[in-house]
Amino acid sequence: MRITRTRQIDAPAHEVWRVVGPGFADVGTWASEVLHSVPVRSAAPRGAALRGAPCDGRACSVATPGFDAVREDLLDYDDERMSLTYRAGSGMPRVVREARNTWSVAPLAPGRCVASMTAEVELAGAGRLAGPVLVYLTHRLGRRTLADLDHHVTTGRPSPRRRRSERRRETGPLGRVVRANAAFSWVTGLALVAGAPVWVAHLGAPPAWVPAAVGTGLLVFAAVLVLLGRTRVAPHSARVLAALDVGWVVGSGALLAAAGRSFSTGGWLAVAATSSVVATFGALQWWHSRAGVPRPPAARRTPRRVAAGAVVTDRSATPN
């Protein structure tokens, strides 16, 4: 399977190549799908194909589910042609037998060039059935990575997607739970406000303003969660959120006990299902608040050796 993506960039070819080629090991500073990257240098002498290469490969921590710490070994490097090829040496899913990627940069006009990446993937066994899905994911990954490269070269800053990725990493699992809680609260609140007349018929015929008011409160709660989820959530804040979720569950139980007989089956199930989801969020928030807030990945130690004969330069103290 061979997939090629290209993108025209309003920058001189040599500036784009400086990021792609000499900056090969620094992909973790600008690509949104790469959390962290360090160069790999082998003790063995380099062949002619790698003359001028900044390193022998790189070790990457990636955000894509199903991938571990991926080691990518350079196979070919040419400064004059502004082209390089690397192979994923480890960290790929088992269904991937071979994966190579070729990057090239070609000038189009003064101050303008085209960057291209060609992925060649060979699947093993039953993994071939996932070919269409892999084609889609590879196309999307190529499009995002080239867009990240474009923004990084033309503005000198990481792309908005990259900055969002960094914020998500810094907030850790607690931040992800809070953001998921925000999304659920937003959907539930919007459904109550927009469908207040419908819910009246399912919830024992209360005044129409009651479900609308509850929905409005959930929308405000969701907005607060969104703000909290943008930064690292303090453990005490997570415990407060967990207590609020417990309050919702207790209130829902009391409502079902007091007026559940007048509810329709749909209304009863809606209240019960919502309470179950909220209880799950409360439990997760409480659990992660006890575990504390993790340090950003850049502050962690990176092993100096990733394989026999390969040495990784430790840059873990430098933020991405």
Side-chain angles (χ1 to χ4, degrees):
M1 181 176 62
R2 183 184 177 96
I3 300 170
T4 299
R5 296 284 308 190
T6 63
R7 185 181 180 96
Q8 294 186 16
I9 300 177
D10 292 325
H14 69 273
E15 291 186 6
V16 177
W17 172 247
R18 186 167 60 242
V19 175
V20 174
F24 177 76
D26 298 323
V27 65
T29 63
W30 57 267
S32 56
E33 297 298 322
V34 181
L35 306 178
H36 188 58
S37 64
V38 291
V40 173
R41 294 185 174 90
S42 175
R46 293 184 188 174
L50 295 185
R51 185 175 294 114
C55 55
D56 295 293
R58 63 192 179 194
C60 301
S61 217
V62 298
T64 308
F67 293 79
D68 297 320
V70 178
R71 173 174 166 170
E72 298 169 334
D73 300 315
L74 278 169
L75 302 177
D76 184 75
Y77 185 92
D78 193 319
D79 260 324
E80 293 184 2
R81 292 188 294 112
M82 291 188 286
S83 174
L84 63 83
T85 299
Y86 61 89
R87 176 183 60 206
S90 62
M92 301 293 286
R94 293 183 178 180
V95 297
V96 178
R97 177 177 296 165
E98 178 81 4
R100 299 189 180 200
N101 205 2
T102 297
W103 278 81
S104 64
V105 181
L108 293 177
R112 189 170 180 78
C113 66
V114 59
S116 67
M117 55 183 299
T118 299
E120 297 179 76
V121 182
E122 182 181 351
L123 299 177
R128 297 185 183 93
L129 299 175
V133 176
L134 186 61
V135 168
Y136 166 75
L137 293 176
T138 304
H139 270 294
R140 187 179 69 168
L141 175 61
R143 175 177 54 82
R144 288 183 172 183
T145 303
L146 287 169
D148 291 338
L149 174 65
D150 187 347
H151 192 281
H152 176 67
V153 172
T154 56
T155 68
R157 301 188 303 273
S159 68
R161 184 184 295 112
R162 168 69 190 190
R163 294 196 293 271
R164 289 194 298 270
S165 176
E166 290 177 348
R167 286 197 297 268
R168 286 194 295 270
R169 281 190 292 143
E170 291 179 356
T171 59
L174 178 55
R176 289 193 289 272
V177 172
V178 170
R179 289 192 296 272
N181 195 352
F184 180 76
S185 299
W186 175 264
V187 171
T188 305
L190 194 61
L192 285 171
V193 171
V198 177
W199 288 114
V200 165
H202 289 282
L203 300 177
W209 63 266
V210 173
V214 173
T216 301
L218 283 175
L219 292 177
V220 174
F221 182 62
V224 173
L225 292 178
V226 168
L227 294 176
L228 284 175
R230 291 176 63 88
T231 58
R232 281 188 272 176
V233 183
H236 71 272
S237 298
R239 288 191 282 269
V240 170
L241 295 177
L244 291 174
D245 287 337
V246 170
W248 175 279
V249 174
V250 171
S252 297
L255 178 64
L256 289 175
R261 293 182 179 181
S262 62
F263 288 8
S264 69
T265 301
W268 201 97
L269 290 175
V271 173
T274 302
S275 297
S276 298
V277 175
V278 171
T280 301
F281 282 130
L284 290 173
Q285 287 163 167
W286 178 263
W287 172 264
H288 288 302
S289 73
R290 294 179 62 192
V293 181
R295 291 181 299 172
R300 299 173 186 167
R301 297 292 296 175
T302 301
R304 288 183 176 272
R305 291 192 178 272
V306 294
V311 180
V312 176
T313 300
D314 187 356
R315 296 184 179 177
S316 59
T318 302
N320 289 342

